[in-house]
Amino acid sequence: DSGVTQTPKHLITATGQRVTLRCSPRSGDLSVYWYQQSLDQGLQFLIQYYNGEERAKGNILERFSAQQFPDLHSELNLSSLELGDSALYFCASSVSGTNTDTQYFGPGTRLTVL
Amino acid sequence: AQSVTQPDIHITVSEGASLELRCNYSYGATPYLFWYVQSPGQGLQLLLKYFSGDTLVQGIKGFEAEFKRSQSSFNLRKPSVHWSDAAEYFCAVGTGGGFKTIFGAGTRLFVKA
């Protein structure tokens, strides 16, 4: 158990809908990362937050947005969902969000868009 | 552009045999390199990481990796594989400034009795 929690574990929804994925980092970690894992794209970095502020952006679509709250939990919002958004979404956390940090991954949220 | 290549999509080894998983990276500066393992239905777990210093890095679960700058490689090794090592292994490079991690496509390891 990494100490990172993600809810829900599974999510099934329809095209065009909007969903919110939630992540609670390990106690003491200030940085949160979001990743998408799909069969065709592999594991892709989406976005990183540190203590409430966006720090780095990867291949995140404009239909997707995220934020980190004062209690350090984070939410990833996916809107206007398409079939291709079906994937495993991982959250990870680290102490300070630097290049040398170890990232601890949550178990993931499996999103299925029908 | 930065990239990570894991040439082997899957590898099968016998239990007790040695293992080497290949990883090649493309990055202009000195890279930060990582190996992660993902068991079925689980998130990723860090095995080891390299930033500088000794090019042979020891990790958890008996794994080690060697950084070879001349070959742009960071291969993962284990002298004796256990059935519980069956999983998917990802090599990753951490780019400068803001930590954008680029992952390889992964190598799935099968262990036969």
Side-chain angles (χ1 to χ4, degrees), chain B residues 65-87:
Chain B
E66 186 171 12
F67 171 60
K68 292 186 178 180
R69 184 187 302 274
S70 61
Q71 297 176 20
S72 296
S73 70
F74 189 56
N75 293 349
L76 182 72
R77 301 194 294 247
K78 186 169 185 178
S80 176
V81 167
H82 188 261
W83 64 266
S84 61
D85 293 324

Side-chain angles (χ1 to χ4, degrees), chain B residues 15-64:
Chain B
E15 192 169 16
S18 64
L19 171 70
E20 183 168 30
L21 301 182
R22 297 183 290 164
C23 172
N24 293 97
Y25 67 89
S26 171
Y27 185 60
T30 299
Y32 300 129
L33 295 163
F34 307 81
W35 274 100
Y36 287 87
V37 61
Q38 184 180 26
S39 298
Q42 307 277 325
L44 280 72
Q45 181 184 23
L46 181 71
L47 287 175
L48 47 79
K49 57 187 177 183
Y50 171 79
F51 302 137
S52 64
D54 192 346
T55 57
L56 186 62
V57 182
Q58 301 298 320
I60 62 171
K61 304 186 182 190
F63 286 93
E64 66 178 26

Side-chain angles (χ1 to χ4, degrees), chain A residues 33 35 37 42-45 48 55-58 88 90 97-108, chain B residues 32 34 36 38 41-46 49 51 88 90 94-105:
Chain A
Y33 312 76
Y35 293 89
Q37 186 178 37
L43 192 60
Q44 296 219 7
F45 167 72
Q48 179 200 5
R55 173 168 276 187
K57 218 170 203 179
L88 254 177
F90 286 108
T98 62
N99 288 359
T100 56
D101 264 9
T102 294
Q103 293 183 42
Y104 295 87
F105 281 74
Chain B
Y32 300 129
F34 307 81
Y36 287 87
Q38 184 180 26
Q42 307 277 325
L44 280 72
Q45 181 184 23
L46 181 71
K49 57 187 177 183
F51 302 137
E88 186 141 27
F90 292 91
T95 64
F99 206 140
K100 297 181 185 181
T101 307
I102 298 171
F103 285 82

Side-chain angles (χ1 to χ4, degrees), chain B residues 1-19:
Chain B
Q2 301 90 355
S3 66
V4 178
T5 302
Q6 294 181 247
D8 305 305
I9 297 173
H10 54 79
I11 281 182
T12 301
V13 299
S14 298
E15 192 169 16
S18 64
L19 171 70

Side-chain angles (χ1 to χ4, degrees), chain A residues 27-73:
Chain A
S27 176
D29 284 359
L30 298 179
S31 193
V32 169
Y33 312 76
W34 286 98
Y35 293 89
Q36 180 194 58
Q37 186 178 37
S38 62
L39 282 175
D40 53 344
Q41 302 272 13
L43 192 60
Q44 296 219 7
F45 167 72
L46 295 178
I47 197 164
Q48 179 200 5
Y49 282 83
Y50 174 76
N51 206 21
E53 299 290 326
E54 182 184 307
R55 173 168 276 187
K57 218 170 203 179
N59 301 321
I60 187 165
L61 300 172
E62 285 195 14
R63 300 184 285 110
F64 296 1
S65 65
Q67 59 184 126
Q68 186 180 25
F69 295 86
D71 68 351
L72 301 177
H73 91 271

